Amino acid sequence: MTTIMVPAHVSAIAEMEATSAASAVTTGLRSTGTTMSDVADWMTAHGAPDDWTGDAAEAADHAMTGYARDTAAATAAFTRVAAACDRYVDRIVALTTVREGLVSRRTRLNQDIDDLHTRIAQSTADDVAALEAQSRALQGRADRLVDDITALWDDVEAAEDRLIEAFRAVDTTGEGADAADRDTTDVSALRSELTALGGDPDAINEWWEGLTRAEQEALKISDPDLVGNTNGIPTGDRDEANRTSLDRDLDRLTAKQEAGEDLTQAEQRLLDRARAAQTSLDIPAANGLPDVDGDGVGDPVDVNLLVYQPGAFGGDGAVAVSYGDPDTADNTAVIVPGITNDGTTIPGNAADAYTLYQQAIRNGESAATIAWMGYDAPSWNPENALDWPGDGLDMGSVAREDKAIEGGASLADFVDGLRSTDEGDRSHLSVIGHSYGSTTAAHAAHDHGLDADSLTLIGSPGAGGNDVDHASDLGMPEGRVYVGAADNDFVTWLGRDGDLGMGRDPAQEDFGATVFPVAPGEEFHADDLGQGVDNHTSYFDPSTNQQSLDNLSAIVRGDEPEVTTGRTQDANDMALDWVKDEVVHQVEKEIEEGRQEIEDIYDGGRDWVGDRVDDFSDLWP
Amino acid sequence: MTPRVAAMTRIVLGLVVVLLLAACTSDGGSDLDGSGDGPDARTVKAEMDAEAEAVLPDLVGRLGGQFNGMQATFLERGGFGIWDYTASGSLVKPSGTMTESLAAVEGVLEEHGYAVETDDAQRRVTGTKGNVTVIAQASLLTAEKKGSGLNVRIGVSGIQDGDDFAESAPAEDYLAFVQ
């Protein structure tokens, strides 16, 4: 009997303790650095109060200068460790990929070992030589795998050591001050250079890529609002900067609340918008991570905060959240919401974007879907209805195109920014405008040459301006203006030629767009306007308008949606028909209610007479 | 267009804009302020939570695998005062092939009294019962091998009443129903 030595199974590879979630620590460090930087700037600029004089003022100035110097040292320390932490996270992400490869190799190897055991059990003496050769080959694979696993843990330990060393290097005020002294980064010069580029995203991208990592990190800490909201800066850097600002706002305002202090109205609005942004960032964790690659684990979603300006547009706020990284995605979609939206309503739009993301990646390609609330849409907080000329005026602008025209310029710039930071093969980029957002997107296309591969208008009140008579006037590639319009969406009855309204109804057959079918929505009456609004807001809803969502998903993937014929009835005539039918309906309803009332009175009277007759009968037996 | 028709058109357009303005505020619109026939947010939540508690354990029991996500929350559509109450998640590592998994979903939903529709091209099963809709579909359109993941969504759409309740209701953790 011959004994064949088969290698033992390779043991399971331990999970890594650190994950890419460690980036939250980086954000925290950066946020603290930003707060320190703000404090140092303020103290340097202000000194003692103006009405202080004499020794007290001099002493205060001296103390504040010293404190500002210490604060600058702390800022330098936080800048250093944030950069180190950033490098550590990058390394951990890379090593996680290495580990996943080793796990796959181990699974295959152990299976091959099991298979060899099976073959040995079924073998004869003639097979021994071949089986021994197979066993030696497996042993070689096992040895190499064990070596590679050992190297992985060595690399993990080295990354941790470098991070620890970075923290130790600046863990005293003196070391922080040394770091500040050694730091030759002139942040104000960098800020000036960036501003001088005039918003050209290609030039900004080239300039940014030319900075050292230390310079990028210093600017993210000193000016997170600038870095986070400048088109042309890569998505990952914008996200890091904006999360820094978001953390700063949440920390400051919740701390104030927890201390029992009242927030001003402006602070409360800012906090509401910050919380809305945070809720949007958390959507994938709450709504699940799809397992597209079939490895039995939900695939992580790269969530990016691309715009965060909670005080923009008179406090309405600007925000954009991306599910997936548009810099690397095969397919990218920008969703432009319409009226009633502002910085606080982003979670609903973000949920739509995430639903679209999950649909878009079902073909196995990567995607990024962005809820972009980067313009001042007409919105109205009913609580402030009397705040003239505040929110009341803001909502009144729904009847005009001013905000769509301004928003169109911002949208075109944002898309130019996405193009400039795009890596590898050019991403297939779709812009989807809903409601007033469709008019905004149409203005971006017509007025600014929107650099997208397709433009989709859903629930549109008009395709913008008097110069857009046909889809070809929007300057998109041939056949790439798509329109979805529910028959019972009353906003789509507003499109018309002429000076009143927001341009032509793009769903008209002679407009020349590619019209895709959507659920018509239920008929509604004046006393059931909620259904009308439901019809207008269901284009991303899989429960009531799966057809629309499937077609939007096809467009985002670069596939053709289903196609239907455009409208031949004028949009305003549809509104007119609804009004006529509604008058008839309401009159019939009144008549029916009146008839029922008379019938009830008659029945009541008859019962009363009957009762009296019975009474008399009782008295007169 | 004659001047008379043009004038009438403007009147209609004005009316529609007024309707839009009325409807597009959280407390505007007759059916958005609590007088409509639709269920309110509190009722919807109770209905859907009960359905989830009944259906999700049976889904996991029949399909195998594990859920992630599934936090039921109210979300408002823009600032329209229309709410959706939904929980979405993924079922990873089910024991069967995709065809078997979707058939199992169909069976479970039918047993619970749902009206079920299937869409083979989209690898999707949709069940409706009362106000609740359950949708299960392949995470990857072409996936068929054993263990391929599914996206699952349970929700009620277009809730028009109960703003205050919807705004303040905490997330409901449906994973607790399947652990």
Side-chain angles (χ1 to χ4, degrees), chain B residues 160-176:
Chain B
Q160 297 164 22
D161 293 334
D163 266 354
D164 291 342
F165 179 81
E167 275 174 18
S168 58
E172 199 72 44
D173 182 9
Y174 283 1
L175 291 181

Side-chain angles (χ1 to χ4, degrees), chain A residues 94-114:
Chain A
L95 291 174
T96 300
T97 305
V98 171
R99 181 188 169 277
E100 285 168 0
L102 295 174
V103 168
S104 298
R105 278 173 62 190
R106 172 184 169 269
T107 303
R108 287 195 301 274
L109 174 65
N110 287 349
Q111 183 61 53
D112 290 346
I113 290 170
D114 290 343

Side-chain angles (χ1 to χ4, degrees), chain A residues 351-489:
Chain A
D352 288 343
Y354 189 58
T355 300
L356 189 61
Y357 171 84
Q358 289 175 304
Q359 291 284 124
I361 61 173
R362 293 181 73 209
N363 66 348
E365 295 181 3
S366 60
T369 58
I370 302 166
W372 182 79
M373 195 63 246
Y375 78 112
D376 188 11
S379 57
W380 187 13
N381 181 349
E383 290 167 11
N384 298 334
L386 301 178
D387 183 20
W388 186 266
D391 278 336
L393 182 66
D394 190 18
M395 191 62 186
S397 61
V398 69
R400 302 195 310 271
E401 289 185 67
D402 312 22
K403 295 193 170 198
I405 293 168
E406 290 171 18
S410 300
L411 175 60
D413 288 346
F414 178 75
V415 169
D416 285 346
L418 294 179
R419 287 302 195 197
S420 71
T421 58
D422 195 3
E423 300 169 9
D425 292 339
R426 181 179 159 98
S427 184
H428 171 262
L429 197 155
S430 310
V431 171
I432 302 171
H434 173 244
S435 188
Y436 194 86
S438 72
T439 310
T440 302
H443 272 290
H446 174 265
D447 305 349
H448 303 282
L450 182 68
D451 191 7
D453 296 300
S454 73
L455 172 64
T456 302
L457 312 176
I458 47 177
S460 179
N466 294 330
D467 300 333
V468 180
D469 296 319
H470 190 269
S472 58
D473 294 329
L474 292 170
M476 301 305 296
E478 177 77 26
R480 294 291 184 270
V481 175
Y482 299 102
V483 174
D487 286 346
N488 291 310
D489 173 358

